[in-house]
């Protein structure tokens, strides 16, 4: 299944997904001077910043073996700043890696005549399904009167603890697609790929107060691939920037 979504600078799409990973990633330093560059692509360990913050403020410091590696890309072109972060993995114990493949984009730009700052965010939350009912408020779109399902991915990696045992295929991996640009610097591409995801499906209900209730799990699914491809296109003539998000899911 493939879904294509186009995000212009005034459109917001939100999502988040959780699973486990067995692939560590080396981390780079993120410097404030990086944001003065036209672009950068780095893997950053945010627990390093948490430890530094704790030290400066007299707070309990996270364990030294805790790591949260995030792949980040940045484009600073023609008054538009785009910052992307995709979580590769988290390590809370020696040789035990989790990942929350969070996909988040932030856009900053000036409105017409440079009168105001505008900030737009887009994040991947979950995979969802819905079934329109007779009382559906918005046809062909999920609403509180429809039957809704939410898919949360997870994984269990016990292979390193029990190397001689056989386990279900719960070991997920992530792969980074490097940031590239066209010769004129007006088109930028990057992405991330997750493989071997196991997802738990639950039914969910939106109340009249816009609160969400979930039921017991109803199903289990395995995704061979969940890929995020991004393209940022800048048109200097129309002063418009467009981000295209291409999602590929393979069962």
């Amino acid at each position: 299944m493939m879904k294509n979504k186009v995000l212009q600078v005034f459109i917001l799409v939100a999502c988040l997904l959780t699973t486990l990973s067995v692939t560590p990633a080396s981390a780079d330093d993120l410097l404030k001077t990086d944001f003065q560059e036209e672009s950068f692509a780095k893997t950053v360990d945010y627990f390093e910043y948490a430890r530094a913050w704790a030290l400066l403020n007299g707070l309990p410091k996270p364990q030294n073996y805790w790591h949260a590696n995030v792949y980040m890309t940045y484009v600073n072109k023609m008054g538009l700043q785009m910052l992307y972060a995709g979580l590769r993995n988290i390590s809370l114990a020696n040789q035990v890696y989790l990942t929350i493949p969070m996909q988040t984009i932030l856009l900053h730009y000036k409105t017409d005549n440079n009168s105001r700052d505008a900030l737009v965010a887009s994040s991947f939350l979950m995979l969802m399904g819905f079934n329109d009912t007779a009382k559906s408020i918005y046809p062909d779109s999920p609403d509180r009167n429809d039957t809704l399902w939410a898919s949360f991915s997870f994984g269990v990696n016990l292979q390193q603890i029990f190397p001689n045992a056989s386990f279900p295929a719960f070991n997920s991996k992530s792969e980074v697609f490097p940031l590239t640009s066209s010769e004129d610097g007006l088109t930028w591409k990057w992405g991330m790929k997750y493989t071997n995801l196991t997802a738990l499906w639950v039914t969910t209900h939106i109340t009249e107060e816009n609160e969400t209730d979930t039921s017991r799990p109803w199903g289990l699914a395995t995704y061979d691939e969940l890929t995020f491809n991004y393209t940022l296109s800048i048109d200097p003539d129309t002063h418009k920037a467009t981000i295209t998000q291409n999602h590929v899911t393979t069962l």
Side-chain angles (χ1 to χ4, degrees):
M1 177 179 65
M2 179 179 293
K3 294 183 178 179
N4 294 318
K5 295 183 179 179
V6 176
L7 170 69
Q8 293 188 346
V9 294
F10 52 85
I11 296 179
L12 173 64
V13 179
C15 321
L16 172 72
L17 181 66
T18 305
T19 186
L20 293 187
S21 171
V22 297
T23 304
S26 59
D28 304 310
D29 291 329
L30 183 63
L31 307 174
K32 64 180 181 180
T33 54
D34 291 337
F35 296 93
Q36 300 172 5
E37 303 293 334
E38 182 180 71
S39 68
F40 69 75
K42 293 185 173 184
T43 294
V44 179
D45 182 1
Y46 272 90
F47 267 124
E48 288 296 325
Y49 295 93
R51 282 185 279 270
W53 177 264
L55 180 63
L56 290 174
N57 293 273
L59 300 174
K61 187 179 70 170
Q63 298 292 339
N64 290 332
Y65 54 81
W66 288 12
H67 304 282
N69 294 308
V70 179
Y71 177 56
M72 301 186 67
T73 64
Y74 176 74
V75 176
N76 182 12
K77 193 76 175 180
M78 301 188 67
L80 173 73
Q81 291 81 41
M82 185 286 302
L83 180 64
Y84 158 87
L87 187 55
R88 298 187 64 179
N89 59 58
I90 299 174
S91 175
L92 301 179
N94 187 30
Q95 297 300 312
V96 177
Y97 296 96
L98 313 106
T99 187
I100 304 172
M102 177 182 64
Q103 301 287 305
T104 297
I105 297 174
L106 294 175
L107 297 175
H108 171 260
Y109 60 96
K110 291 284 189 179
T111 58
D112 292 340
N113 301 319
N114 291 324
S115 58
R116 294 184 178 182
D117 289 289
L119 187 65
V120 179
S122 169
S123 298
F124 182 86
L125 177 61
M126 69 185 76
L127 295 176
M128 291 195 68
F130 70 96
N131 182 25
D132 277 335
T133 63
K135 296 181 179 180
S136 182
I137 302 173
Y138 306 104
D140 302 321
S141 180
D143 58 62
R144 64 173 177 263
N145 288 336
D146 291 336
T147 304
L148 307 175
W149 295 272
S151 169
F152 300 93
S153 294
F154 67 97
V156 177
N157 177 20
L158 300 176
Q159 196 67 52
Q160 294 172 338
I161 301 176
F162 304 98
N164 298 321
S166 298
F167 293 94
F170 285 166
N171 299 328
S172 303
K173 296 182 180 179
S174 62
E175 177 185 349
V176 165
F177 300 153
L179 178 68
T180 61
S181 68
S182 59
E183 292 185 2
D184 57 9
L186 297 178
T187 302
W188 300 79
K189 296 183 178 183
W190 70 96
M192 244 179 142
K193 176 181 179 181
Y194 299 93
T195 54
N196 202 13
L197 302 176
T198 301
L200 186 69
W201 283 88
V202 299
T203 55
T204 183
H205 173 70
I206 304 174
T207 67
E208 294 290 339
E209 294 77 22
N210 285 328
E211 297 178 351
T212 302
D213 295 327
T214 57
S215 71
R216 64 183 176 86
W218 285 97
L220 197 65
T222 299
Y223 303 99
D224 294 331
E225 174 186 348
L226 178 58
T227 298
F228 301 85
N229 293 301
Y230 301 93
T231 301
L232 170 63
S233 301
I234 302 173
D235 189 333
D237 296 326
T238 61
H239 302 283
K240 179 184 291 186
T242 302
I243 289 185
T244 301
Q245 302 182 44
N246 176 271
H247 303 155
V248 178
T249 305
T250 304
L251 296 175

